[in-house]
Amino acid sequence: MLFGAAAGAFLPRIGHRLTVPFGSPARAECGRCGRPFPAGVSGWIHTGPACCTDGHLPPVTLALVAGLLAAVLGPVPQLPVHLLAAIPGLLLAMIDLGCLRLPDRLVGVLALAGGIPLALLAPDRIVPALTAGLLVGTAYLAIALLPGRGLGLGDVKLGAALAFLLGFAGWPAVAVGLGTAHLLNGAIATWLLVTRRARPIPFGPALLLGACLGLTAV
Ligand SMILES: [Zn+2]
């Protein structure tokens, strides 16, 4: 939990700077008050709020996720891998909530930072993990290509990456992870429909929360 709180303290600034429309460069100044961030690394490495915004949610969320993972999984060699993967995971959730985007490079970081050590720890799980990623990626791509289904290509890539990572934990983890994501998303969509507040729903946060539950509930 301490790890989560400490690592999460760095996320508000990075998340805020990356919450930009497709094709735009990272923010050079605060999106709210317009104050410019320092150039170079010091403009990115910063604890606490991004600027004039609230900065408590990411550290608290990451602390809870880290605590849940550590409590359920115990001191297994895979634990540090999952804890580290939670960092790009939470960043993706923040950015998707902010601007409905899942930057490719961050999804790539998540897949590789999680996938390579997991593959080294359990080489016999590589084939099922790749199969899970490929199956989910293909299925999601088919859904995304249907008109009006609201699944973006970012969701397809993140879904495939998470299915790949969950595949190392086994098929039940994949099923619980993705099932939870769709249940969550369905519940939110129904709620918005009932309250007549139709608007696009980011799927990334549901996928990431589902993956977290898939890892711990199975
Ligand atoms: Zn500001």
Side-chain angles (χ1 to χ4, degrees):
M1 284 188 86
L2 265 177
F3 164 82
F10 286 93
L11 296 185
R13 171 69 67 85
I14 302 174
H16 183 66
R17 294 196 64 175
L18 291 178
T19 303
V20 290
F22 181 74
S24 304
R27 284 183 200 279
E29 71 289 309
C30 173
R32 212 197 250 178
C33 70
R35 198 153 58 103
F37 295 127
V41 180
S42 60
W44 291 93
I45 307 298
H46 171 88
T47 56
C51 171
C52 49
T53 45
D54 179 56
H56 296 303
L57 209 51
V60 170
T61 310
L62 205 55
L64 288 176
V65 168
L68 177 70
L69 286 170
V72 176
L73 299 179
V76 292
Q78 281 87 355
L79 179 63
V81 182
H82 295 313
L83 291 179
L84 280 179
I87 298 174
L90 180 59
L91 260 183
L92 282 165
M94 290 163 64
I95 296 169
D96 203 15
L97 282 173
C99 65
L100 292 171
R101 277 196 60 222
L102 294 162
D104 282 347
R105 273 189 281 181
L106 210 47
V107 176
V109 167
L110 174 65
L112 294 180
I116 293 173
L118 288 178
L120 291 173
L121 286 169
D124 58 315
R125 298 295 311 168
I126 295 176
V127 173
L130 284 173
T131 311
L134 201 67
L135 279 178
V136 170
T138 313
Y140 277 17
L141 185 62
I143 298 172
L145 293 176
L146 292 174
R149 290 308 300 264
L151 204 59
L153 288 179
D155 299 323
V156 174
K157 291 173 228 170
L158 181 62
L162 291 176
F164 164 63
L165 295 179
L166 287 170
F168 284 100
W171 290 103
V174 179
V176 169
L178 296 175
T180 308
H182 285 281
L183 281 179
L184 268 174
N185 221 45
I188 298 168
T190 310
W191 167 250
L192 287 177
L193 204 68
V194 168
T195 56
R196 295 175 184 277
R197 280 180 296 185
R199 61 187 183 91
I201 313 161
F203 191 37
L207 274 174
L208 290 154
L209 188 61
C212 189
L213 293 179
L215 276 178
T216 49
V218 182

